[in-house]
């Protein structure tokens, strides 16, 4: 079962996409739900709002604990939350990705855009359409970060072992490669724990 | 080549606002209270609807200086209202790079026959509706988000409920229709056929559907979410109450935990007095804001 953090944002779109891939998922709002899921999606939305709701509802520790063994796919607001440094006191970093990131770094909504990018994932290169909505920009890459895609020289898709972080929204263009990857990672973790 | 201003990108931002609360604010202090409480966006306007109702006069788009100050003070999206049909006010707001424009019946209409042709703009628009026909006309003109009109500034949820239920029931009817019936429905509703056909197929609006007009308590927010709203606008309900900060926070929590009555007890406890509100029958028909636009 894949959990989708459902505090605020477009979590329903991720659930629809997972359903289309035949992967069952559930909305996550409570700490005890982390025992029942094997993968997590941190969706887009307003990072300051989601961060606040994470802290207010005692979800910070459970997410960090979860990330130590199980895979997370984070898009837009999600990757901001997972970073080490957010450069904004309104967003408490979960410190899962060793990166520094700046919120809303391309400007206001009028500067939101979509573009085709090349993604290198597990030895396969795919060309996908990525929507950047008031998107963040990765300012600094730290340890153990593999860059999967760039846009105009800036990393926009990264991987740290089982976790993936994206500054754009694959779900808005029905791009499924990252959700499929999350499911593969979940299976890999299952196999490891079975052994 | 990267592309900006497309309809999908406009709807994309509306998608990101889901499960959140958009709050009306009149100055920087209120904008900060709203952001601290967890507002997903703020709507900058000079007078909240309840005050417009009290004070009367022509309600226009806000002073650019006031909007700019709010833009500089918060990190969340900033929206602002224009009068129905007033595309010049909208051009000014677009040049200021507001994140969303509300072509709103709360302000005094500038054009009694035509709404703005919203496809001409790169900034997304939200518009109010009372039924599916009105929603589809606005989407046809380019609105990327729809909200119920409700009765702004009334503190009374009854009209928002009526409008949300009406839209839902209109959609339900469409999904059972043959194509021949759909054309007749399009004619009766005064809605573009292509959108009627699309709604019949997907069983929902093609853009996010939010609630507005009369939300005053966390329970009001929960009610609207359970009726199918994807986010809640709170206009006068926060800053006309005795406890704006805690109430704003409580409504934010209510939109996340609306399906959990036990949590709703916790959320609704210890709040002070909500805005007083008005019985709709006490508002003369020609003063009902929902009657503006078509």
């Amino acid at each position: 079962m894949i959990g989708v953090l459902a505090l605020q944002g477009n979590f329903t779109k991720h659930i629809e996409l997972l359903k289309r891939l035949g992967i069952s998922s559930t909305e996550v709002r409570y700490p005890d739900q982390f025992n029942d899921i094997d993968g997590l999606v941190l969706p887009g939305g307003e990072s300051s709002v989601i961060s606040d709701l994470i802290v207010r509802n005692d979800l910070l520790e459970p997410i960090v604990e979860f990330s130590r063994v199980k895979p997370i796919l984070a898009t837009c607001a999600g990757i901001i939350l997972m970073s080490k440094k957010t450069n904004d006191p309104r967003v408490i970093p979960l410190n899962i990705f060793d990166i520094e990131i700046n919120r809303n770094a391309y400007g206001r909504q009028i500067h939101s855009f979509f573009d085709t990018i090349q993604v290198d994932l597990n030895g396969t290169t795919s060309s996908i359409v990525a929507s950047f909505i008031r998107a963040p920009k990765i300012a600094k890459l730290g340890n153990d970060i593999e860059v999967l895609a760039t846009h105009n020289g800036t990393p926009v898709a990264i991987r740290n072992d089982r976790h993936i972080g994206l500054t754009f929204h694959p779900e808005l263009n029905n791009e499924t490669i990252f959700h499929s990857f999350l499911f593969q990672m979940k299976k890999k973790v299952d196999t490891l724990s079975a052994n | 080549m990267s592309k900006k201003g497309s309809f999908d990108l406009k709807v994309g931002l509306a998608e990101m606002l889901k499960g959140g609360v958009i709050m009306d604010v009149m100055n920087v202090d209120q904008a900060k209270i709203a952001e601290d409480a967890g507002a997903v966006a703020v709507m900058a306007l000079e007078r909240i609807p309840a005050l417009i109702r009290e004070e009367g006069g022509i309600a226009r788009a806000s002073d650019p200086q006031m909007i700019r100050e709010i833009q500089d003070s918060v990190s969340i999206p900033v929206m602002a209202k224009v009068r129905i049909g007033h595309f010049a006010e909208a051009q000014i707001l677009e040049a200021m790079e507001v994140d969303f424009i509300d072509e709103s019946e709360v302000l005094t209409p500038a054009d009694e026959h035509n709404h703005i042709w919203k496809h001409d703009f790169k900034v997304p628009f939200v518009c109010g509706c009372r039924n599916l026909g009105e929603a589809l006309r606005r989407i046809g003109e380019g609105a990327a988000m729809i909200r119920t009109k409700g009765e702004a500034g009334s503190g009374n949820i009854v009209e928002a409920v009526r409008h949300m239920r009406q839209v839902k029931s209109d959609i339900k009817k469409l999904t059972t229709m043959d194509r021949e019936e759909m054309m007749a429905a399009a004619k009766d509703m005064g809605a573009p056929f292509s959108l009627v056909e699309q709604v019949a197929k997907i069983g929902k609006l093609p853009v996010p559907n939010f609630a507005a007009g009369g939300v005053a308590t966390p329970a009001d927010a929960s009610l609207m979410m359970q009726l199918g709203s994807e986010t809640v606008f709170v206009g006068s309900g926060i800053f006309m109450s005795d406890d704006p900060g805690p109430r704003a926070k409580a409504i934010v929590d209510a939109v996340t935990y609306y399906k959990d009555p036990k949590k709703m007890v916790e959320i609704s406890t210890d709040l002070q007095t909500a805005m007083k509100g008005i019985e709709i029958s006490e508002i003369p028909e020609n003063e009902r804001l929902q009657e503006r636009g078509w």
Side-chain angles (χ1 to χ4, degrees):
Chain A
M1 179 72 77
I2 301 286
V4 181
L5 193 72
L7 299 176
Q8 190 274 319
N10 77 330
F11 48 87
T12 47
K13 191 86 192 173
H14 289 279
I15 289 168
E16 281 167 25
L17 203 69
L18 288 164
K19 195 175 172 190
R20 207 172 318 154
L21 290 169
I23 302 168
S24 52
S25 63
T26 185
E27 295 179 3
V28 174
R29 295 188 179 86
Y30 302 94
D32 58 2
Q33 287 179 280
F34 285 88
N35 303 323
D36 309 326
I37 58 172
D38 331 281
L40 179 68
V41 177
L42 296 181
E46 273 305 311
S47 54
S48 57
V49 178
I50 301 175
S51 179
D52 202 22
L53 286 165
I54 285 176
V55 173
R56 258 148 71 179
N57 295 290
D58 306 320
L59 293 163
L60 198 139
E61 268 308 303
I63 297 174
V64 174
E65 280 294 316
F66 182 87
S67 76
R68 295 206 173 107
V69 275
K70 295 190 172 158
I72 301 181
L73 167 61
T75 64
C76 200
I79 192 178
I80 303 175
L81 296 167
M82 280 180 75
S83 63
K84 187 177 185 179
K85 203 170 161 205
T86 62
N87 292 323
D88 187 333
R90 288 169 283 216
V91 185
I92 313 293
L94 297 171
N95 197 6
I96 297 167
F97 284 131
D98 186 6
I99 58 167
E100 185 179 325
I101 200 157
N102 292 317
R103 294 175 66 199
N104 197 13
Y106 294 87
R108 302 184 193 282
Q109 169 62 13
I110 203 164
H111 303 291
S112 292
F113 64 96
F114 65 90
D115 209 346
T116 305
I117 59 169
Q118 307 296 324
V119 181
D120 291 306
L121 185 58
N122 273 352
T124 315
T125 304
S126 359
S127 183
I128 67 160
V129 178
S131 291
F132 295 81
I133 312 275
R134 285 172 47 95
K137 234 182 214 178
I138 297 171
K140 220 181 263 173
L141 294 171
N143 294 321
D144 302 321
I145 300 288
E146 179 193 351
V147 175
L148 307 177
T150 59
H151 182 261
N152 291 342
T154 304
V156 294
I158 59 165
R159 174 177 173 186
N160 167 270
D161 187 32
R162 63 200 167 273
H163 306 308
I164 282 192
L166 314 169
T167 63
F168 57 90
H169 294 280
E171 78 287 356
L172 289 182
N173 299 93
N174 296 316
E175 296 290 358
T176 54
I177 53 170
F178 304 107
H179 293 77
S180 300
F181 176 84
L182 177 68
F183 189 64
Q184 284 165 23
M185 279 298 120
K186 164 201 138 22
K187 283 200 292 196
K188 201 167 149 192
V189 171
D190 290 348
T191 319
L192 284 177
S193 51
N195 295 337
Chain B
M1 260 301 282
S2 77
K3 293 224 171 60
K4 295 182 181 180
S6 74
F7 189 68
D8 286 347
L9 289 170
K10 294 174 180 176
V11 175
L13 179 58
E15 284 278 333
M16 297 314 141
L17 300 173
K18 283 184 176 177
V21 182
I22 301 164
M23 303 183 192
D24 277 2
V25 298
M26 295 183 286
N27 52 50
V28 169
D29 287 346
Q30 290 187 350
K32 284 188 177 156
I33 291 173
E35 184 175 50
D36 285 348
V40 76
V42 290
M43 176 79 71
L45 74 174
E46 263 161 30
R47 292 184 290 169
I48 54 179
L51 293 178
I52 293 175
R53 215 176 258 295
E54 258 175 54
E55 294 166 6
I58 304 297
R60 308 179 178 93
S62 297
D63 176 4
Q65 177 62 26
M66 172 262 193
I67 297 171
R68 182 78 69 209
E69 283 169 13
I70 290 175
Q71 282 178 316
D72 291 343
S73 70
V74 296
S75 64
I76 51 181
V78 175
M79 304 184 171
K81 289 182 193 287
V82 299
R83 286 179 264 179
I84 290 173
H86 207 316
F87 55 85
E89 283 184 346
Q91 288 161 353
I92 293 170
L93 294 186
E94 178 169 71
M96 293 183 66
E97 302 191 354
V98 304
D99 294 292
F100 237 102
I101 296 176
D102 186 359
E103 186 184 19
S104 175
E105 69 282 0
V106 165
L107 304 186
T108 313
D111 189 326
E112 291 184 337
H113 296 294
N114 310 295
H115 284 69
I116 296 171
W117 185 251
K118 293 165 272 286
H119 286 296
D120 280 348
F121 291 80
K122 287 202 173 77
V123 169
F125 276 74
V126 52
C127 290
C129 77
R130 288 161 298 178
N131 51 50
L132 182 60
E134 196 171 7
L136 296 184
R137 287 191 289 279
R138 297 295 84 79
I139 296 167
E141 293 157 355
M145 186 206 294
I146 288 296
R147 56 170 175 77
T148 57
K149 281 182 166 172
E151 187 56 35
S154 70
N156 190 339
I157 199 67
V158 68
E159 296 301 301
V161 169
R162 187 195 316 281
H163 300 159
M164 187 57 78
R165 283 205 182 268
Q166 186 65 50
V167 170
K168 268 177 67 178
S169 116
D170 292 346
I171 292 175
K172 213 183 283 170
K173 268 181 233 150
L174 274 191
T175 58
T176 62
M177 284 182 188
D178 299 334
R179 243 164 244 268
E180 294 86 339
E181 294 174 296
M182 278 182 217
M183 185 57 90
K187 172 178 164 270
D188 292 343
M189 287 194 287
F193 180 73
S194 58
L195 288 174
V196 168
E197 209 181 8
Q198 191 184 352
V199 169
K201 193 171 157 198
I202 61 177
K204 59 185 181 117
L205 289 182
V207 302
N209 186 13
F210 293 8
V215 177
T217 67
D220 288 346
S222 167
L223 176 66
M224 294 313 297
M225 292 299 284
Q226 293 188 60
L227 286 174
S229 164
E230 294 169 304
T231 274
V232 172
F233 280 88
V234 189
S236 313
I238 291 169
F239 290 102
M240 290 299 280
S241 74
D242 290 344
D243 53 352
R247 179 163 300 266
K249 204 173 246 189
I251 295 176
V252 169
D253 288 339
V255 168
T256 301
Y257 292 99
Y258 66 95
K259 283 185 277 195
D260 181 344
K262 276 193 186 141
K263 193 106 179 175
M264 285 297 298
V265 173
E266 211 178 287
I267 291 168
S268 308
T269 303
D270 276 343
L271 292 176
Q272 294 176 35
T273 314
M275 74 178 282
K276 184 162 174 266
I278 325 170
E279 172 60 41
I280 301 299
S281 60
E282 285 170 19
I283 308 171
E285 241 169 82
N286 60 354
E287 285 177 25
R288 288 184 199 164
L289 301 174
Q290 59 178 287
E291 301 299 330
R292 295 166 164 185
W294 50 273

